């Protein structure tokens, strides 16, 4: 599973960062997940929670912070992608929300900028 290997990579980094900072334990881990990464946040969370069971990060709270792209138009308009996650009354909160979005100013198709990152934003450790 895609998310499992990503979770392993994140957890390897968490452990090595914590150890190099002489951590006794880890309180929380905040992971930024871009909305355009094709990562399923629920699956990633499930894998991370499974992986913190027998290492220095045992018991750590895992926080997933979803990162929205900015929507930009060639006319100069730009706004945060989270404002474009509805189509009529329907909430579209996945990658489809950021494809073929017309600019509210000029009607041209906007492009998404950012939102492709998968990063450890912060690790709160006990020293
Ligand atoms: Zn425009």
């Amino acid at each position: 599973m895609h998310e499992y290997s990503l979770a392993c990579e994140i957890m390897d980094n968490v452990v090595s960062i914590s150890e190099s900072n002489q951590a006794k334990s880890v309180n929380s881990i905040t992971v930024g997940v871009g909305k355009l990464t094709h990562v399923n946040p629920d699956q990633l969370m499930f894998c991370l929670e499974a992986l913190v069971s027998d290492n220095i990060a045992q018991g750590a709270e895992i926080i997933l912070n979803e990162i929205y792209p900015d929507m930009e138009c060639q006319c100069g308009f730009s706004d945060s992608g989270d404002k474009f996650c509805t189509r009529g009354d329907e909430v579209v909160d996945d990658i489809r929300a950021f494809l073929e979005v017309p600019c509210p100013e000029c009607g041209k198709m906007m492009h998404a900028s950012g939102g492709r990152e998968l990063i450890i934003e912060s690790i709160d450790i006990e020293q």
Side-chain angles (χ1 to χ4, degrees), residues 73-77 103-108 110:
C73 178
Q74 55 184 270
C75 76
F77 176 87
C103 172
E105 294 289 325
C106 73
K108 291 205 181 86
M110 297 190 288

Side-chain angles (χ1 to χ4, degrees), residues 24-46:
K24 285 201 192 76
S25 62
V26 180
N27 294 327
S28 68
I29 305 159
T30 306
V31 179
V33 186
K35 297 293 281 184
L36 299 181
T37 49
H38 294 280
V39 171
N40 180 312
D42 293 336
Q43 285 181 20
L44 184 65
M45 183 64 122
F46 178 81

